[in-house]
């Protein structure tokens, strides 16, 4: 008989070469504050269920819901069950649910109620006896950011956030918005990083949980084909678009204070810039990747001529997909005369050797013709064309487009001969779909990210410096826009005319996504 | 969507496939591999549907080889399908008759997706030595199923004897969920294991492999004992501090994890369907060392991981040919294996009742 094997983390049954076994977190509890909210019901509970169904939850697992409801366990269970039934991706099964239902608990109370937090703290301690969970817990703050300080202070008071005191890991998950500007985001970061330790803070940017976004890193760093061209010698410009066809819905109270730049540009779009422009990380671990992202976010420059290169817009009424839709100002709960933008387009630079002189055009907006997010890398034209002018009239720039959503995949646009006896060249597209069905069965972003939190893998979570660098980009734009009126654009069009003029001024046009 | 070719040849199949691809829009679909399935007529549909499920996660070209009667006149029929319910995938089902059944690779070779890895999967009993089948030689990964024959334990020994890196078996795949749960149960456990026992229905190859794996990883003796099933019903590990970890699954879907000094935990541990198993097989195409170690531990085989990954085709005249007998639906006997005779009916049935999932 041979000796027991070493194994990963001291577990002889875990073998690096054994890639069939999934990564499963240590026994732990997930505490959700604001479990009655929209995010918890639509995303978090279904994600927990799907993880359970895929066998990715540890044997010792508990889901604790905290909310101001006079509820018993039964009421919470039926809310959770309904949420899982509605939102699960992998198909609802009773036996899987039973197992999760056995480990969910409801803790009632409001955030300023000391007794409720003492109760929660005791419940966590009791989990060792009832569920075999020794001190590991992740806290998900699915609550309005205004409530963060109250909740964090309660955690500090009860020692709930303390790794050492509880003999396990303690992690916290926060959702955007990460503040309102640089100053407030710093305050928030300081607060969270103090109560927890910085490496235990997980900031969710659900775009980073998407397969295609991670695939961008594979595309760039696992191949030799693209990297030599991925710089200012060959790239003319980069266009990143994140368009939505919907309006603001019922989010007026939040949205009117934020606007498109704070809501989307600051986080999702700038993260896409970072992944597109970053240097190769020395290894694929969380620290190396975040270091490279931080460097490139710190190198972003804002245009001097904000008048012409930072355009914002607001949707007017119009027709979208055959339906008449109201203007932003006519949406429910929007204050009269609001100057909040629902569209923002800006030209940024990345001041590194790789990208000097290459403009990054970013745009995001609501009520645009269709929902699409893409990164388009537009290459320079060939320096010399051995064809006659008329033969290449229809030849544009080569492009490489990463389609983030929908139709996840990659498109390449390049010139090709038109079949026939004359030499004519025109642009054609080659679409790469990594199997339509592949993306369907791939995990929902929240599922992936939640699992990573429980595993303690921070690769896909921006760290506080990244957030602060992003605000350094957004703050000057907001300052410039303050007190000015946004350009109007008709719902169902690709943004205000001023945004098109911005590119025309540089001799370019927006790609129609 | 589907082209059917009667009494055809390889060149025409290649043409039909390329026409179908054009008709389907000739999109650059990320074909990641070619999956060759060797299956008998009765199970074509099951095999194809499992392969299609698996292909949802791993876009592939599916080549289904059905070897019909060896004594019939030489003939090749084919169905070519692109898109439709196959999604981004392509499938060719080939039915071969007569001596052609012994030269299936001549049809398959020109149909392999260029430069992509090839996986060959025997739905039913695999040849005694995989090298007897040229379809094994052209594959970089070979998937067999010990549960598809009458005596799975004897089959495990055959597989160990014949093992080359890149071989794998669905009995091992079925054990993944058990192994995963066991590994989690060990995550916060410091004691040293002293013995292990796996209970399962008689002749479960998956149970043997779990026991072999525990032996290889824990360095302890592990036994397999017979229970009423279904599949594996319990795993019990004892430790030097006299604590134990036990997982019970009497009903085939919910398990109970008991650990000394801790509350019992119910956990889902469902038997998976064939499509899931194949999808797991297609995820990684490199050699599976932990499988080789488990197989070695259970069969007493040696140095499986050090063997050469290369196989050379061994020509073997099937025994039925001289006798001129066996015109069964399972068709051409492929090997001289002793079990083949009585295996003509039963193993197929076993595979059909989806021995799937432990
Ligand atoms: N929904 C999304 O898709 C989404 C997307 C990105 C980011 N986020 C962020 O995620 C967080 C949660 O969003 P959400 O959409 O779920 O918000 P929500 O629907 O408004 O829910 C907020 C939750 O917090 C609770 N809450 C609010 N004020 C409270 C107080 N004073 N005392 C106790 N509980 C209080 C609510 O409980 P009651 O039911 O008792 O009011 C509710 O459970 C926010 O930070 C938001 O910015 C959400």
């Amino acid at each position: 008989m041979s000796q027991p094997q070493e194994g990963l983390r001291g577990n002889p049954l875990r073998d690096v070469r054994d890639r069939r076994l999934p990564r499963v977190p240590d026994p732990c509890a997930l505490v959700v504050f604001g479990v009655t909210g929209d995010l918890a019901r639509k995303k978090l509970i279904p994600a927990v269920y799907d993880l359970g169904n895929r066998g990715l939850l540890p044997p010792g697992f508990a889901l604790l819901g905290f909310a101001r409801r006079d509820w018993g366990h039964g009421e919470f269970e039926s809310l959770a069950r309904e949420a899982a039934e509605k939102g699960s991706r992998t198909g609802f099964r009773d036996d899987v649910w039973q197992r999760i239902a056995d480990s969910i608990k409801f803790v009632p109370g409001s955030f300023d109620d000391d007794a409720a937090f003492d109760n929660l703290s005791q419940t966590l301690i009791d989990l060792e006896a009832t569920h075999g969970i020794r001190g590991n817990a992740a806290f998900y703050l699915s609550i309005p950011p205004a409530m963060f300080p109250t909740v964090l202070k309660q955690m500090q008071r009860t020692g709930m956030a303390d790794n050492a005191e509880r003999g396990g890991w303690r992690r916290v998950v926060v959702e955007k918005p990460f503040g309102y500007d640089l100053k407030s985001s710093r305050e928030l970061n300081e607060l969270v990083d103090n109560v927890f330790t910085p490496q235990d803070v997980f900031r969710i940017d659900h775009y980073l949980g998407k397969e295609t976004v991670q695939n961008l890193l594979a595309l760039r760093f696992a191949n030799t084909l693209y990297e030599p061209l991925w710089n200012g010698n060959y790239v003319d410009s980069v266009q990143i678009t994140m368009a939505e066809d919907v309006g603001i819905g019922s989010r007026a109270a939040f949205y009117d204070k934020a606007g498109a730049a704070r809501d989307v540009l600051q986080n999702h779009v700038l993260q896409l810039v970072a992944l597109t422009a970053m240097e190769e990380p020395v290894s694929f671990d969380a620290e190396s990747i975040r270091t490279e992202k931080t460097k490139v976010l710190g190198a972003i420059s804002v245009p001097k001529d904000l008048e012409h290169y930072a355009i914002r817009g607001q949707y007017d009424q119009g027709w979208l997909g055959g339906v008449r839709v109201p203007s932003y100002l006519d949406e429910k709960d929007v204050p009269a005369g609001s100057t909040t933008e629902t569209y923002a387009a800006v030209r940024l630079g990345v001041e590194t050797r790789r990208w000097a002189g290459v403009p990054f055009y970013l745009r995001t907006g609501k009520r645009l013709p269709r929902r699409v997010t893409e990164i388009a890398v537009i290459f320079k034209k060939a320096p010399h064309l051995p064809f006659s002018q008329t033969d290449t009239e229809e030849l544009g720039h080569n492009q490489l487009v990463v389609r983030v959503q929908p139709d996840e995949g990659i498109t390449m646009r390049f010139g090709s001969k038109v079949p026939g006896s004359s030499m004519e060249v025109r642009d054609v597209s080659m679409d790469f779909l990594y199997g339509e069905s592949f993306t369907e069965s791939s995990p929902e972003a929240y599922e992936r990210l939640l699992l990573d939190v429980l595993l303690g893998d921070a690769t896909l979570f921006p760290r506080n410096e990244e957030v602060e660098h992003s605000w350094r980009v957004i703050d000057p734009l907001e300052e410039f826009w303050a007190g000015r009126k946004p350009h109007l654009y008709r719902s169902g069009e690709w943004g205000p005319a001023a945004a098109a003029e911005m590119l025309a001024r540089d001799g370019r046009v927006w790609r129609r996504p | 969507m589907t082209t059917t070719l009667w009494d055809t040849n390889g060149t025409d199949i290649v043409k039909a496939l390329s026409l179908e691809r054009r008709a389907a829009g000739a999109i650059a679909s990320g074909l990641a591999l070619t999956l060759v399935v060797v299956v008998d007529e009765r199970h074509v549909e099951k095999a194809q549907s499992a392969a299609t499920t698996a292909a949802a996660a791993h876009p592939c070209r599916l080549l289904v080889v059905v070897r019909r009667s060896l004594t019939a006149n030489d003939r090749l029929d084919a169905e070519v399908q692109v898109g439709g319910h196959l999604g981004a995938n392509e499938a060719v089902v080939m039915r071969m008759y007569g001596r052609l059944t012994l030269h299936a690779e001549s049809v398959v070779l020109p149909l392999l997706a260029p430069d992509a890895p090839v996986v060959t999967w025997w739905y039913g009993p695999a040849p005694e030595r995989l090298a007897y089948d040229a379809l094994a030689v052209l594959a970089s990964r070979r998937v067999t199923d010990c549960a598809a024959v009458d005596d799975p334990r004897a089959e495990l020994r055959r597989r160990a004897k014949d093992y080359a890196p890149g071989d794998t078996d669905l009995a091992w795949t079925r054990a993944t969920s058990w192994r995963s749960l066991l590994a989690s149960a060990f995550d916060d456990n410091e004691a040293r294991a002293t013995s292990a026992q796996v209970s399962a229905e008689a002749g479960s190859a998956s149970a043997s492999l779990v026991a072999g794996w525990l032996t290889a990883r824990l360095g302890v003796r592990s036994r397999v004992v017979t229970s009423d099933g279904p599949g594996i019903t319990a795993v019990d590990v004892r430790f030097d501090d006299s604590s134990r970890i036990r997982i019970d699954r009497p009903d085939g879907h919910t398990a109970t994890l008991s650990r000394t000094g801790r509350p019992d935990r119910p956990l889902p541990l469902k038997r998976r369907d064939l499509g899931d198993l194949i999808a797991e097989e297609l995820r990684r195409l490199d050699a599976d060392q932990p499988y080789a170690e488990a197989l070695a531990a259970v069969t007493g085989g040696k140095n499986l991981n050090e063997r050469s990954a290369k196989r050379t085709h061994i020509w073997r005249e099937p025994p039925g040919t001289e006798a001129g007998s066996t015109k069964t639906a399972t068709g051409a006997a492929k090997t001289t294996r002793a079990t083949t005779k009585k295996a003509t009916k039963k193993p197929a049935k076993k595979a059909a009742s989806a021995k799937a999932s432990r």
Side-chain angles (χ1 to χ4, degrees):
Chain A
M1 208 88 324
S2 52
Q3 285 298 304
Q5 307 286 312
E6 266 300 321
L8 288 172
R9 290 179 273 147
N11 179 346
L13 296 185
R14 294 217 182 270
D15 175 357
V16 262
R17 301 165 312 163
D18 195 344
R19 280 166 309 210
R20 289 173 190 266
L21 299 191
R23 300 188 302 167
V24 176
D26 296 330
C28 61
L30 174 66
V31 182
V32 180
F33 293 104
V35 78
T36 51
D38 187 56
L39 181 73
R41 279 180 293 121
K42 290 212 180 107
K43 298 287 183 189
L44 302 183
I45 294 173
V48 167
Y49 170 85
D50 287 328
L51 288 174
N53 198 8
R54 290 166 65 208
L56 298 179
L57 291 180
F61 175 77
L63 174 65
L64 303 188
F66 189 98
R68 47 175 179 189
R69 291 281 190 288
D70 198 8
W71 275 359
H73 172 76
E75 280 123 323
F76 177 53
E77 201 221 299
S78 56
L79 167 129
R81 184 193 170 99
E82 195 180 309
E85 259 177 305
K86 257 200 212 140
S88 88
R89 172 183 72 84
T90 54
F92 188 82
R93 290 167 25 131
D94 247 339
D95 53 333
V96 176
W97 178 251
Q98 259 326 305
R99 188 243 138 160
I100 294 170
D102 270 351
S103 44
I104 63 180
K105 275 197 154 76
F106 185 70
V107 180
S110 73
F111 297 149
D112 45 18
D113 178 359
D114 284 1
F117 275 82
D118 291 341
N119 179 13
L120 176 62
S121 172
Q122 190 55 44
T123 309
L124 281 172
I125 293 170
D126 293 344
L127 284 178
E128 166 147 17
T130 57
H131 288 71
I133 299 169
R134 293 182 184 155
N136 297 329
F139 299 91
Y140 206 117
L141 302 187
S142 180
I143 51 174
M147 304 307 302
F148 282 11
T150 324
V151 172
L152 288 165
K153 276 183 192 126
Q154 289 282 14
M155 288 198 224
Q156 199 160 31
R157 182 183 64 78
T158 51
M160 249 189 285
D162 196 323
N163 285 317
E165 194 177 322
R166 294 314 164 96
W169 49 255
R170 295 286 154 132
R171 299 180 186 135
V172 66
V173 189
V174 290
E175 275 282 350
K176 70 167 195 180
F178 310 122
Y180 178 80
D181 53 14
L182 180 58
K183 188 166 160 286
S184 59
S185 86
R186 270 210 182 127
E187 284 163 10
L188 178 67
N189 280 338
E190 263 163 38
L191 180 71
V192 187
D193 286 357
N194 265 332
V195 176
F196 289 82
T197 39
Q199 71 268 20
D200 292 327
V201 181
F202 290 75
R203 296 172 181 80
I204 294 252
D205 188 319
H206 68 268
Y207 260 69
L208 300 184
K210 288 183 186 294
E211 284 285 341
T212 15
V213 172
Q214 296 161 43
N215 198 18
L216 177 59
L217 297 180
L219 180 86
R220 288 193 55 199
F221 303 126
N223 298 301
T224 46
L225 203 51
Y226 310 106
E227 199 53 21
L229 308 181
W230 211 263
N231 55 55
N233 293 334
Y234 296 96
V235 174
D236 168 80
S237 58
V238 176
Q239 294 185 8
I240 300 183
T241 302
M242 187 177 151
E244 290 176 282
D245 53 359
V246 294
I248 57 154
S250 56
R251 291 172 71 212
F254 162 76
Y255 198 90
D256 195 66
K257 281 199 217 87
R262 289 192 178 97
D263 188 35
V264 171
L265 217 50
Q266 184 270 334
N267 36 64
H268 307 318
V269 178
L270 283 179
Q271 283 291 323
L272 295 182
V273 172
L275 292 172
T276 308
M278 71 194 247
E279 294 297 317
E280 181 170 13
V282 287
S283 82
F284 216 73
D285 58 51
E287 262 340 278
S288 314
I289 292 180
R290 292 157 112 197
T291 302
E292 294 307 331
K293 274 164 60 194
T294 310
K295 273 162 59 184
V296 76
L297 286 168
I300 291 180
S301 66
V302 178
K304 291 209 179 65
D305 180 4
L306 289 171
E307 172 84 38
H308 290 118
Y309 289 103
I311 307 295
R312 61 179 199 149
Q314 191 185 70
Y315 60 80
D316 201 348
Q317 53 149 307
W319 287 84
L320 202 150
V323 179
R324 179 159 212 122
V325 289
S327 70
Y328 176 72
L329 293 176
D330 289 335
E331 297 275 14
K332 191 167 160 283
D333 297 335
V334 170
S338 165
T339 58
T340 300
E341 82 278 3
T342 62
Y343 177 99
V346 58
R347 185 183 82 179
L348 300 178
V350 176
E351 306 308 323
T352 63
R353 179 164 181 148
R354 185 187 286 269
W355 295 114
V358 179
F360 281 67
Y361 299 104
L362 320 182
R363 62 176 160 168
T364 179
K366 291 195 175 290
R367 286 269 162 79
L368 301 182
R370 74 186 194 101
R371 182 178 84 105
V372 57
T373 301
E374 64 168 39
I375 303 166
V377 178
I378 296 161
F379 292 93
K380 292 186 171 160
K381 288 207 173 186
H384 169 74
L385 291 169
F387 308 100
S388 74
Q389 171 75 46
T390 49
D391 291 348
T392 54
E393 236 156 41
E394 288 182 68
L395 179 65
H397 291 263
N398 292 166
Q399 300 180 2
L400 188 148
V401 183
V402 177
R403 302 190 307 268
V404 177
Q405 69 175 20
D407 305 328
E408 290 81 347
I410 289 163
T411 299
M412 282 214 231
R413 260 180 98 67
F414 51 85
S416 173
K417 182 181 171 301
V418 180
S421 53
S422 64
M423 187 63 200
E424 271 178 76
V425 181
R426 73 148 68 118
D427 281 340
V428 293
S429 285
M430 183 168 84
D431 278 344
F432 169 78
L433 282 168
Y434 194 80
E436 295 122 299
S437 30
F438 171 78
T439 42
E440 235 165 75
S441 63
S442 68
E444 162 70 18
Y446 272 96
E447 213 176 312
R448 168 71 200 261
L449 295 175
L450 207 51
L451 179 64
D452 281 359
V453 169
L454 300 182
L455 287 165
D457 180 348
T459 313
L460 300 177
F461 300 83
R463 65 181 176 197
N464 53 12
E465 290 100 318
E466 292 176 54
V467 174
E468 288 175 18
H469 280 313
S470 302
W471 281 117
R472 254 184 225 115
V473 175
I474 301 300
D475 279 358
L477 310 182
E478 294 287 355
E479 251 163 61
F480 172 77
W481 287 333
R484 291 168 191 251
K485 280 205 156 153
H487 300 272
L488 283 183
Y489 62 99
R490 283 187 77 81
S491 288
E493 284 177 2
W494 282 110
E501 284 155 20
M502 164 171 126
L503 263 76
R505 197 167 295 114
D506 291 355
R508 299 188 174 94
V509 286
W510 286 108
R511 211 185 104 79
R512 180 161 43 75
Chain B
M1 288 290 129
T2 306
T3 309
T4 309
L5 304 166
W6 302 105
D7 202 356
T8 182
N9 57 51
T11 317
D12 287 346
I13 300 179
V14 173
K15 269 192 211 142
L17 180 60
S18 127
L19 276 177
E20 279 286 344
R21 296 193 76 196
R22 275 168 183 272
I27 41 146
S29 60
L31 273 195
L33 55 105
T34 303
L35 174 61
V36 180
V37 188
V38 182
V39 59
D40 73 44
E41 188 61 54
R42 283 172 299 168
H43 301 122
V44 171
E45 230 165 89
K46 274 196 198 96
Q48 199 173 354
S49 105
T52 307
T53 311
H58 311 282
C60 64
R61 180 174 293 172
L62 185 59
L63 304 178
V64 181
V65 175
V66 187
R67 289 170 163 134
R68 303 287 299 256
S69 170
L70 179 63
T71 49
N73 291 336
D74 296 355
R75 199 176 85 183
L76 171 64
D77 296 337
E79 275 166 50
V80 179
Q81 249 178 302
V82 174
H85 74 281
L86 294 174
N89 302 291
E90 321 172 336
V92 184
V93 181
M94 290 155 280
R95 295 186 167 80
M96 305 180 186
Y97 301 80
R99 299 288 294 178
L100 175 58
T101 56
L102 305 176
H103 301 279
E105 74 283 3
S106 69
V107 186
V108 167
L109 264 176
L111 286 171
L112 300 178
D115 212 31
V118 180
V119 179
T120 298
W121 165 36
W122 290 266
Y123 181 92
E128 179 182 2
R129 292 182 66 180
L130 295 186
Y132 291 159
D133 191 341
L135 296 178
V137 176
L138 51 81
S140 51
R141 181 98 186 203
R142 297 155 296 271
V143 185
T144 54
D145 188 358
C146 283
V149 301
D150 264 356
D151 184 352
R153 302 234 172 121
E155 184 69 7
L156 276 176
R157 283 191 294 277
R158 262 193 293 273
R159 294 281 72 98
K161 194 158 162 247
D162 189 44
Y163 181 85
D167 289 4
T168 160
D169 196 280
L170 291 181
W172 175 244
T173 323
R174 291 184 188 101
T176 302
S177 36
W178 276 93
R179 297 197 303 115
S180 165
L181 197 51
L182 278 162
S184 304
F186 267 70
D187 267 341
D188 52 356
N189 182 69
E190 270 123 51
R192 204 182 139 147
T194 51
S195 71
Q197 177 175 307
V198 181
S199 316
E201 67 181 74
S204 162
S206 299
S208 301
L209 287 170
V210 170
W213 175 63
L214 289 171
T215 299
R217 298 303 303 172
L218 302 177
V220 302
R221 210 166 284 289
S222 49
R223 306 199 303 144
V224 178
V225 299
T226 304
S227 73
D228 290 340
I232 301 178
T233 52
V235 176
D236 196 328
V237 184
R238 314 238 166 184
F239 296 90
D240 57 0
D241 60 357
S242 69
S243 64
R244 65 195 269 202
I245 290 180
R246 186 178 166 88
I247 302 174
D248 270 297
R249 188 196 61 181
D251 61 355
H253 47 103
T254 308
T256 307
L257 167 66
S258 344
R259 281 177 291 187
T260 309
R262 306 217 198 160
D264 287 0
R265 305 281 312 141
L267 296 164
L269 183 57
K270 59 183 168 183
R271 310 182 83 191
R272 294 181 298 161
D273 62 29
L274 196 55
D276 268 2
L277 300 177
I278 297 298
E280 180 179 319
E281 280 313 314
L282 300 186
R283 190 160 301 129
R284 292 279 184 164
L285 298 179
D286 48 355
D288 188 340
Q289 297 103 333
Y291 164 64
E293 282 166 12
L295 188 61
V298 66
T299 60
K302 294 235 159 46
N303 304 335
L304 265 49
N305 276 324
E306 273 97 76
R307 295 199 191 152
S308 157
K310 200 170 146 44
R311 274 200 170 88
T312 319
H313 184 213
I314 303 171
W315 173 256
R316 174 147 273 223
E317 188 67 28
T321 43
E322 299 93 338
S325 62
T326 52
K327 216 171 174 179
T328 60
T330 27
K334 293 183 292 285
T335 73
T336 53
R337 189 191 325 154
T339 53
T340 327
K341 244 183 278 148
K342 65 172 181 191
T344 39
K345 198 154 179 208
K346 233 185 153 191
K349 202 167 138 224
K350 268 191 136 174
S353 69
K355 197 92 178 163
S357 56
R358 231 122 292 184

